[in-house]
Amino acid sequence: MSDPAHEPAVIACALRETAPGEQRVALVPESVSRLARAQVHVLMEAGAGAAACFPDSAYEGAGAEVVSRDDAIGRADILVGVAAPGPDLIALLRPGQTVIGMLRPLAQPDLIGQLARAGVTAISLDGLPRTVSRAQSMDALTSQANVAGYKAVLLAADNFGRFFPMLITAAGTSRPASVLVLGAGVAGLQAMGTARRLGAVVTGYDVRPETQGQVESVGARFLKLESVQSAAGEGGYARELTADEHHAQQAELAAQIAHFDVVITTAQVPGRRPPVLVTAEAVKGMQAGAILVDLAASSLGGNIEGSVPDQTVMTENGARIIGAGNLPSRMPTAASAAYSHNIVALLAELVRDGALTIDPADEIQAGVVITHQGKVIHPAVAALLESSAAGGSR
Ligand code: NAD
């Protein structure tokens, strides 16, 4: 048993993730000594890293303490997770504790309200300002999107009945697969590069014209559509298309899609439903054996009409639509290592002279600190909670 009088300055713990199917862990053994240098001592719930292939012994070897879940929750100043804590865990937290994770505060504002009422400081990596250069090492959206883009291509290749590369053998020649990737953000560019490395002929498309050079730099051809010249929004993101633009884009894409063997979609617009880029009509135009992977598939819908998260739908014409679900969790070792790296970078920024320092005026903290000292301090989340409370009282 440790002596509480001699606990190090800041104690962080990582618990076993409890969301169904989640295999990632928020801290990997390599991070433990880095955190020790930042005066952060690590407690791990026993078995927390097992699904990501990090055994308890590796954490102990790196200097962490492996403890029970209750012990970790009771002693930690900071609870680091991948997903947001559920209501059961929040009920066990005490005022002044801090929770760090991908909390998706705009998608689950009620949970944020619960954390504020519990007096817990909530820090969400998905609010990170991505254009601030010192925040890049903390960018978990990027690190996880990279894994998802890579894995989407492997899923497509695994389900595709032919080779991706051109192969010339004594038994014949196979033509390379033609792959179209819609959306050239982090996941899309990684998907294009991965499909290229597997030998496919790759085409990429995005509504932000500045992506053309990025698409070409990973060895893909850029698809230009007449219907939307530019839909660049703020901060490097896309804006939502008008209804007319959207329909014209769908029609123009439908004519193109019929020529491809594999379509991978990654298009997102912050704070909006993912746009439907591939209609059921467009899928009907594809050949039997065509594979579609929808990385945007969620309960809100996706980029491909008829996609269902975590399911494969076979269409009447023999195409397969794969709804991606949580792809980073299906490569848990790499995804956890990258995520843990992001967490270490964030904690190195937040822990100053052996204490967690919350300063909402700092440009990084303004994006990530959602609740503090009993209040929702992130303006966009606070506004969302106020409008839903006003809606409820009408
Ligand atoms: P995202 O997940 O929000 O969207 C993926 C892509 O979908 C985007 O490229 C977007 O333009 C595209 N898209 C949206 N609507 C579309 C439509 N109707 N048709 C076709 N494509 C559509 O994006 P992301 O991967 O999070 O990246 C967003 C931006 O942030 C990019 O500009 C990226 O370079 C930038 N970024 C910058 C940094 C940095 O500077 N450190 C880090 C990460 C990302």
Side-chain angles (χ1 to χ4, degrees), residues 130-131 136 139 142 183-187 205-208 235-238 241 249 266-270 275 277:
R130 303 175 80 187
T131 45
Q136 284 185 15
D139 190 344
T142 290
V186 178
Y205 167 71
D206 200 289
V207 280
R208 293 181 296 118
Y237 290 102
L241 301 185
Q249 186 194 43
T266 72
Q268 299 275 3
V269 178
L277 303 183

Side-chain angles (χ1 to χ4, degrees), residues 117-364:
R117 286 191 296 281
V120 171
T121 298
I123 297 181
S124 186
L125 276 169
D126 31 24
L128 198 75
R130 303 175 80 187
T131 45
V132 175
S133 61
R134 75 191 161 93
Q136 284 185 15
S137 55
M138 309 168 202
D139 190 344
L141 282 179
T142 290
S143 73
Q144 303 306 291
N146 242 321
V147 179
Y150 172 83
K151 189 71 178 175
V153 174
L154 300 190
L155 257 185
D158 194 25
N159 280 274
F160 189 49
R162 297 199 283 110
F163 291 109
F164 262 36
M166 182 168 95
L167 285 186
I168 302 170
T169 73
T173 298
S174 71
R175 65 177 171 82
S178 57
V179 175
L180 173 64
V181 179
L182 300 177
V186 178
L189 289 170
Q190 179 58 257
M192 290 173 214
T194 304
R196 263 308 288 141
R197 288 191 290 275
L198 274 179
V201 175
V202 183
T203 302
Y205 167 71
D206 200 289
V207 280
R208 293 181 296 118
E210 69 263 30
T211 57
Q212 176 165 359
Q214 297 160 13
V215 167
E216 288 168 354
S217 74
V218 296
R221 181 179 73 93
F222 188 72
L223 176 68
K224 273 197 182 138
L225 296 187
E226 295 301 318
S227 47
V228 188
Q229 295 301 321
S230 169
E234 281 173 14
Y237 290 102
R239 66 165 169 82
E240 192 173 31
L241 301 185
T242 63
D244 285 351
E245 283 174 327
H246 190 196
H247 289 130
Q249 186 194 43
Q250 284 179 339
E252 210 178 346
L253 273 175
Q256 296 287 334
I257 282 166
H259 305 302
F260 289 91
D261 300 312
V262 173
V263 176
I264 295 173
T265 64
T266 72
Q268 299 275 3
V269 178
R272 298 272 182 271
R273 278 164 187 267
V276 176
L277 303 183
V278 183
T279 58
E281 214 41 47
V283 178
K284 272 190 199 154
M286 298 183 83
Q287 300 290 318
I291 303 294
L292 299 102
V293 181
D294 188 353
L295 240 80
S298 76
S299 53
L300 294 175
N303 295 149
I304 302 175
E305 204 174 339
S307 72
V308 184
D310 281 315
Q311 282 186 34
T312 299
V313 177
M314 193 76 165
T315 66
E316 276 176 17
N317 57 320
R320 234 175 280 185
I321 305 174
I322 302 171
N326 182 355
L327 287 188
S329 173
R330 292 172 68 170
M331 258 183 61
T333 311
S336 302
Y339 186 76
S340 180
H341 187 97
N342 301 141
I343 294 283
V344 171
L346 177 71
L347 286 177
E349 176 83 18
L350 296 181
V351 177
R352 294 279 154 86
D353 299 324
L356 184 71
T357 315
I358 298 297
D359 172 14
D362 172 85
E363 61 180 335
I364 291 180

Side-chain angles (χ1 to χ4, degrees), residues 5-159:
H6 292 94
E7 294 281 27
V10 177
I11 301 180
C13 78
L15 303 178
R16 193 174 49 75
E17 296 291 317
T18 53
E22 181 57 74
Q23 303 199 75
R24 289 170 290 177
V25 61
L27 291 175
V28 303
E30 196 204 338
S31 299
V32 173
S33 53
R34 287 172 194 252
L35 286 173
R37 286 199 287 280
Q39 289 183 282
V40 179
H41 177 62
V42 174
L43 308 178
M44 293 296 303
E45 179 185 352
C53 305
F54 297 108
D56 288 347
S57 55
Y59 288 101
E60 281 169 336
E65 268 179 86
V66 174
V67 298
S68 71
R69 190 174 181 86
D70 287 348
D71 201 5
I73 297 167
R75 282 172 58 199
D77 304 303
I78 305 173
L79 291 92
V80 188
V82 177
D88 294 355
L89 176 53
I90 297 175
L92 300 174
L93 300 180
R94 59 175 187 276
Q97 275 182 316
T98 296
V99 164
I100 301 180
M102 306 261 270
L103 309 182
R104 301 174 59 235
L106 294 170
Q108 35 192 12
D110 294 347
L111 199 91
I112 297 302
Q114 218 180 324
L115 284 163
R117 286 191 296 281
V120 171
T121 298
I123 297 181
S124 186
L125 276 169
D126 31 24
L128 198 75
R130 303 175 80 187
T131 45
V132 175
S133 61
R134 75 191 161 93
Q136 284 185 15
S137 55
M138 309 168 202
D139 190 344
L141 282 179
T142 290
S143 73
Q144 303 306 291
N146 242 321
V147 179
Y150 172 83
K151 189 71 178 175
V153 174
L154 300 190
L155 257 185
D158 194 25
N159 280 274

